[in-house]
């Protein structure tokens, strides 16, 4: 899998390397920006690594502690001649020391947080900072021609969102879309996904601004638009896999809240077709040429199956089928059920694993842990019900 934060290269006579670095963390200041070039063509950007924090405090690799889908410190343009990057100043954030002596900064509730700026730099290290409105800046995406940069901006209260586009040379800005939590009777807004361009002037965006996470179609040249709804309903889009010939491939919970199946939806007809024949939990990706779709699935009866779907020939073949690793073991029964939340309406799922020789007349110790929340679905139609080997290990010791 390609790692965007790491740069691997070999020195050669054809490589003009201003400064070669292999690092997974970046010191985010424009003067530490370097270009990796091959045959006079920029192939990557990187930042100089610093092992110690400087007094300025401008050094955090990624802002917001990876919330709002922020997992990268910088974002390369399609032609690799520009890079957008975060500059984070955490000087006012309280500093703490671990028992081992390591120092770190973390803003608790009500305390000063880090300040974030978004900049754009070119090969000559010319740097411009965007005049942004939002407190949180996320979903950073270069447009196909690299003339504009898309930025989703969110206020501190997380109830007002704007999807902006900034000209990469003039910093001129336009608001493509704006919404508030109140419009859809929501408690907060939480953008997490980067837009996916389907052509030079249109992109789809996975958003939860209407209550459930769905796919919306946007026009890059329209301001303050109402996006076209591609999917809808009381279910969630977990992931957009890719786009091919007017079809968007995605993983979602359309069939069941405990399942993440693979689907495709046609942009014009909005017709949704499930791709995996057996329900369960899927992962998938498109080949670079978009001619093949690779996916895997697992369910309560199936440990793991990997398949290849040829989108041109409409043929499918199995690449790998895992064997049951617990075949010769005596395992306890696992049950899935629901309980009512505090509102007496919402159903919350639970998973209960009993010892192999469970006796209803006996008392057993119980190992209990809290459900991981909306970002970490722990109970699924997946092998071992989405659980780990820990539950079976505990049950083998007579623990529920």
């Amino acid at each position: 899998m390609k790692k965007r934060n790491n740069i691997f290269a070999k020195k050669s006579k054809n490589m003009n390397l201003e400064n070669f670095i292999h690092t997974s963390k970046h010191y985010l200041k424009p003067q530490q920006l370097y270009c990796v070039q091959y045959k006079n063509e920029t192939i990557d950007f990187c930042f100089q690594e610093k092992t110690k924090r400087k007094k300025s405090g401008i050094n955090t690799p990624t802002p917001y502690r990876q919330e709002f889908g922020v997992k990268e410190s910088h974002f390369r343009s399609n032609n690799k001649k520009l890079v957008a990057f975060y500059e984070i100043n955490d000087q006012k954030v309280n500093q703490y020391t671990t028992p081992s002596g390591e120092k770190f900064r973390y803003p608790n509730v009500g305390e000063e947080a880090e300040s974030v700026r978004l900049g754009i730099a070119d090969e000559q290290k010319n740097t411009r900072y965007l005049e942004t409105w939002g407190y949180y800046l996320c979903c950073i995406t270069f447009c196909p021609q690299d003339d504009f940069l898309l930025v989703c901006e969110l206020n501190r209260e997380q109830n007002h969102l704007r999807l902006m586009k900034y000209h990469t040379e003039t910093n001129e800005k336009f608001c493509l879309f704006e919404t508030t939590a109140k419009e859809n009777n929501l408690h907060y807004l939480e953008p997490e996904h980067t837009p996916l361009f389907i052509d030079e002037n249109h992109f789809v965006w996975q958003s939860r601004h209407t209550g459930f996470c769905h796919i919306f179609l946007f026009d890059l040249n329209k301001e303050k638009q109402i996006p076209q709804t591609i999917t809808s309903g009381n279910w969630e889009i977990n992931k957009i896999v890719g786009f091919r010939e007017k079809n968007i491939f995605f993983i979602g919970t359309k069939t069941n809240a405990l399942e993440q199946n693979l689907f495709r939806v046609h942009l014009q007809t909005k017709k949704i077709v499930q791709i995996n024949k057996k329900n369960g939990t899927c992962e998938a990706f498109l080949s670079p040429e978009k001619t093949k779709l690779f996916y895997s699935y697992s369910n309560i009866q199936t440990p793991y199956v990997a398949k290849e779907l040829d989108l041109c020939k409409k043929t499918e073949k199995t690449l790998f089928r895992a064997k049951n690793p617990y075949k010769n073991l005596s395992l306890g029964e696992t049950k899935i059920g629901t309980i009512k939340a505090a509102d007496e309406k919402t159903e919350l799922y639970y998973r209960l694993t009993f010892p192999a020789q469970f006796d209803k007349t006996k008392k057993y110790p119980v190992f209990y842990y809290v459900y991981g929340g909306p970002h970490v679905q722990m109970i699924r139609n997946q092998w071992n019900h989405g659980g780990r080997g820990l539950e079976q290990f505990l049950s083998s010791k007579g623990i529920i």
Side-chain angles (χ1 to χ4, degrees):
M1 181 178 292
K2 185 178 180 181
K3 294 186 177 181
R4 294 179 63 185
N5 275 358
N6 292 352
I7 298 169
F8 299 89
K10 293 182 179 180
K11 292 184 179 180
S12 69
K13 295 180 180 179
N14 296 324
M15 181 168 284
N16 175 19
L17 202 59
E18 203 175 329
N19 189 345
F20 172 68
I21 302 161
H22 167 207
T23 176
S24 60
K25 292 187 177 181
H26 308 296
Y27 186 82
L28 301 184
K29 290 188 72 175
Q31 56 263 39
Q32 267 75 49
L33 177 65
Y34 291 85
C35 303
V36 178
Q37 294 187 333
Y38 180 72
K39 293 183 178 179
N40 297 322
E41 181 181 351
T42 300
I43 59 173
D44 212 338
F45 286 92
C46 59
F47 289 90
Q48 184 177 6
E49 181 182 23
K50 293 292 182 180
T51 56
K52 295 183 179 180
R53 290 178 174 269
K54 282 197 171 184
K55 293 181 180 179
S56 67
I58 307 175
N59 43 33
T60 307
T62 57
Y64 321 131
R65 277 138 196 90
Q66 296 191 337
E67 297 291 344
F68 309 107
V70 178
K71 298 178 181 178
E72 305 289 346
S73 59
H74 65 287
F75 312 87
R76 293 173 296 174
S77 62
N78 300 289
N79 62 12
K80 297 182 174 61
K81 295 183 180 297
L82 298 173
V83 59
F85 63 93
Y86 287 115
E87 182 179 281
I88 305 101
N89 191 325
D90 60 357
Q91 191 175 19
K92 294 183 179 180
V93 180
N94 283 339
Q95 192 175 69
Y96 300 90
T97 305
T98 65
S100 62
E102 181 183 356
K103 294 183 179 181
F104 69 99
R105 297 179 185 271
Y106 191 88
N108 288 313
V109 177
E111 297 179 347
E112 286 282 349
E114 62 200 9
S115 61
V116 179
R117 289 201 298 175
L118 189 62
I120 299 177
D122 58 24
E123 295 173 291
Q124 287 73 42
K125 299 186 185 179
N126 298 316
T127 305
R128 299 175 301 281
Y129 289 95
L130 305 182
E131 295 181 1
T132 55
W133 160 83
Y135 185 89
Y136 299 111
L137 311 174
C138 57
C139 309
I140 313 299
T141 307
F142 276 96
C143 296
Q145 300 299 319
D146 296 325
D147 50 349
F148 287 99
L149 183 74
L150 298 185
V151 182
C152 184
E153 304 186 29
L154 190 66
N155 66 342
R156 180 66 179 86
E157 294 75 20
Q158 286 185 241
N159 57 18
H160 191 176
L161 177 151
R162 291 176 182 172
L163 182 60
M164 306 291 295
K165 74 171 184 178
Y166 290 86
H167 198 283
T168 54
E169 292 185 359
T170 66
N171 283 9
E172 188 177 7
K173 57 185 176 181
F174 307 89
C175 180
L176 300 179
F177 173 66
E178 185 172 12
T179 187
T180 64
K182 188 177 181 181
E183 290 179 22
N184 292 289
N185 196 28
L186 301 175
H187 294 290
Y188 64 92
L189 297 170
E190 188 183 19
E192 293 184 285
H193 307 280
T194 54
L196 172 66
F197 277 87
I198 59 175
D199 59 40
E200 292 185 358
N201 297 308
H202 298 87
F203 62 90
V204 291
W205 191 34
Q206 182 180 344
S207 173
R208 195 178 280 112
H209 68 269
T210 58
F212 285 85
C213 191
H214 282 291
I215 300 173
F216 300 87
L217 178 63
F218 288 81
D219 188 324
L220 183 61
N221 302 309
K222 288 185 179 180
E223 295 185 60
K224 295 291 184 72
Q225 62 190 283
I226 299 176
Q228 183 180 348
T229 302
I230 303 301
T231 63
S232 60
N234 295 344
W235 52 278
E236 293 263 304
I237 300 286
N238 299 103
K239 174 185 176 182
I240 293 179
V241 176
F243 174 78
R244 181 183 186 271
E245 296 182 352
K246 297 184 179 180
N247 283 287
I248 301 173
F249 296 88
F250 69 89
I251 293 173
T253 63
K254 189 176 187 301
T255 53
N256 189 290
L258 300 185
E259 297 176 349
Q260 297 181 13
N261 292 305
L262 178 61
F263 301 88
R264 71 171 187 267
V265 57
H266 196 277
L267 274 180
Q268 295 178 346
T269 65
K270 312 295 193 307
K271 182 181 179 180
I272 298 176
V273 178
Q274 183 172 332
I275 295 174
N276 57 305
K277 298 178 176 61
K278 294 185 178 180
N279 289 1
T281 300
C282 294
E283 280 293 339
F285 67 92
L286 275 173
S287 65
E289 301 81 12
K290 298 185 179 181
T291 57
K292 294 182 179 180
L293 177 67
F294 298 90
Y295 73 93
S296 64
Y297 75 89
S298 168
N299 54 40
I300 296 174
Q301 294 82 24
T302 310
Y304 179 86
V305 175
K307 288 182 174 289
E308 175 191 307
L309 177 61
D310 192 313
L311 299 175
C312 299
K313 298 179 180 179
K314 309 298 182 183
T315 59
E316 183 178 89
K317 64 179 180 181
T318 300
L319 301 176
F320 177 78
R321 184 180 296 274
K323 296 180 180 179
N324 182 358
Y326 303 140
K327 183 177 180 180
N328 299 320
L329 299 178
S330 177
L331 302 179
E333 180 186 8
T334 298
K335 289 185 176 181
I336 300 296
T338 61
I339 58 174
K340 296 293 184 181
D343 61 4
E344 296 297 332
K345 297 178 181 179
T346 306
E347 288 189 339
L348 302 178
Y349 288 89
Y350 68 82
R351 180 177 60 236
L352 193 61
T353 302
F354 297 93
Q357 307 300 327
F358 179 69
D359 187 345
K360 294 182 179 180
T361 64
K362 294 182 179 180
K363 290 185 178 181
Y364 293 87
V366 175
F367 177 81
Y368 170 80
Y369 62 93
V370 179
Y371 180 71
H375 288 131
V376 187
Q377 184 177 356
M378 299 176 67
I379 303 172
R380 300 183 293 271
N381 179 14
Q382 191 177 20
W383 180 247
N384 204 25
H385 298 81
R388 302 163 294 173
L390 174 63
E391 287 88 341
Q392 293 297 343
F393 171 77
L394 293 173
S395 68
S396 70
K397 302 298 181 181
I399 301 173
I400 295 178

